[in-house]
Amino acid sequence: GLMGWLPIIAGTQYSLSVFSFKNDERKLKWAFALCVGLYTVFNFAIQNYVGAISNAFVSIATVILLLKKK
């Protein structure tokens, strides 16, 4: 189903972002946070809770730092 597509969507989204935003570090970090967020959902769906928790931490920390550093 849709959960199986999440890693493919995440990888594609991040690859396209690298090519599109190669000179904009802030946009790349937002793309990274989204990519890791998608992997978090996927890991919860496949019951990989350790991976999900670590991905959630990385994604949340990235978003918090981006919001603090406007």
Side-chain angles (χ1 to χ4, degrees):
L2 177 62
M3 290 300 162
W5 284 93
L6 285 178
I8 297 167
I9 294 168
T12 303
Q13 174 266 329
Y14 190 69
S15 296
L16 292 174
S17 297
V18 167
F19 287 112
S20 299
F21 307 131
K22 56 186 164 192
N23 295 326
D24 192 344
E25 183 180 338
R26 186 168 179 79
K27 287 182 182 177
L28 277 174
K29 287 181 181 179
W30 277 110
F32 175 74
L34 177 61
C35 179
V36 176
L38 290 173
Y39 271 105
T40 301
V41 174
F42 176 73
N43 282 328
F44 269 119
I46 64 169
Q47 298 177 349
N48 177 7
Y49 299 118
V50 174
I53 291 169
S54 63
N55 283 342
F57 176 77
V58 170
S59 184
I60 292 168
T62 302
V63 169
I64 289 171
L65 290 173
L66 282 167
L67 293 174
K68 280 185 176 181
K69 200 175 185 181
K70 283 189 176 180

